Each structure stands twice: as structure tokens, then as C-alpha cells.
Amino acid sequence: MSGTPGSLAALHRAAAEARARDAGLCAVLAWAAPGGELGSRSSCNVSALAQCRAAAVDRLREILHGAFGPGSPGVPLEGLTVRATPGAALVRTADNPEDLLVVGTGSRAPLRRLVRPSVARYCLAHAACPVLTVPPSPLEAELDAVHRRNLWRLPMDARELSP
């Protein structure tokens, strides 16, 4: 759960699946210490790690409030912060064969795939339960295209926009 449009789409799909199955929903936010695990061994003290964990808990609360508002998704909701990489945190949390792990597929841009490994692929390869992948919405792809045009300062043709 990162708060990106793709992760929010996956969260809403997970809530719909939980309602259909009469099950609970567990939203997971993975976090890492500043400098990664090696950095946490040498430079981070216990209070810095506690602050990082508290920031992750606050971020998860913000994401869930933004996704569902003051109400609830209509199923029992649990928020969980895990100190791990996103893929490992999700696979470790959904370790029961009866679980359903729902993940967003994220961007399919080749450059982003090189820089950031795919959480969905990791989950598909390592999960002990079924994995449902939620593709990005077409609107998100259009928004990414607009951001790329703005980044490269390319002119926009209004005919390229969806009706």
C-alpha cells in the first residue's frame, strides 16, 4: 500500500473481493529504515526506528482515510505496517492458502521497471495463496502521458485526449 492510484485501485478491488467472500480486509504498508537495512545497523538508533514506524502508521491511516473516508469499506478492516520490502511484506502477511492477495501491477513503463522491481511479479512468484493483480486504469496511463509531455516540454494536441 503506497497511496499511488494503482495501490488505491487494488485496495478498492480487495474491499470488493472481501465483501463478496464475507471476509476481512488487511491493508499492508511496508516500510524501511533510512539507508535500508545496512544503514539501520550502523547509523539508526532505536528512537529513529520508532519514529520511522510511527510515520508509517500515520501514512497508512492517511491512505485508508483517503480511500474510504470516515466510514469503512463494509468489511472488517485491519491496517498493518511491516518493516520489509513491499513484496516480502505482502507475501509474509498473506501466508495462508485460504487468503487472497490483491496487488496493483503498477506502471508498465520500461524505465520504471528497471529502476523499481515489480511487487506484483514478486508476489506471483512467492505467494502461498492466490494472487489477484489489478492493472492500472486507462485514466492513469493518460495522466502519465501528460506528465511525460510536461517533463519533456512537448506540445499537447487536444485530439489525443479521451472524449
Side-chain angles (χ1 to χ4, degrees):
M1 174 69 40
S2 61
T4 62
S7 71
L8 292 175
L11 179 63
H12 282 277
R13 179 60 186 265
E17 291 292 328
R19 281 190 298 274
R21 297 166 189 258
D22 197 27
L25 174 63
C26 180
V28 179
L29 179 98
W31 64 278
E37 289 305 312
L38 291 177
S40 69
R41 289 184 190 145
S42 60
S43 64
C44 283
N45 58 28
V46 174
S47 67
L49 290 176
Q51 289 174 349
C52 290
R53 184 183 185 293
V57 169
D58 289 343
R59 177 71 180 132
L60 181 58
R61 267 194 207 111
E62 290 172 10
I63 292 169
L64 293 175
H65 186 268
F68 301 117
S72 73
V75 294
L77 175 63
E78 174 188 1
L80 180 65
T81 57
V82 180
R83 183 177 169 195
T85 60
L90 293 170
V91 167
R92 196 176 316 140
T93 302
D95 59 353
N96 186 333
E98 304 299 318
D99 290 338
L100 174 66
L101 178 56
V102 181
V103 295
T105 58
S107 172
R108 295 183 180 151
L111 182 59
R112 283 196 189 159
R113 276 192 252 157
L114 287 173
V115 175
R116 185 179 300 151
S118 171
V119 174
R121 286 186 184 184
Y122 181 92
C123 292
L124 286 167
H126 297 93
C129 64
V131 178
L132 175 63
T133 58
V134 179
S137 76
L139 185 59
E140 188 176 352
E142 286 185 29
L143 184 61
D144 286 344
V146 169
H147 283 292
R148 280 193 303 278
R149 285 184 176 276
N150 288 342
L151 178 69
W152 294 100
R153 298 180 190 272
L154 298 173
M156 181 175 257
D157 187 355
R159 293 175 292 184
E160 295 177 26
L161 297 174
S162 296

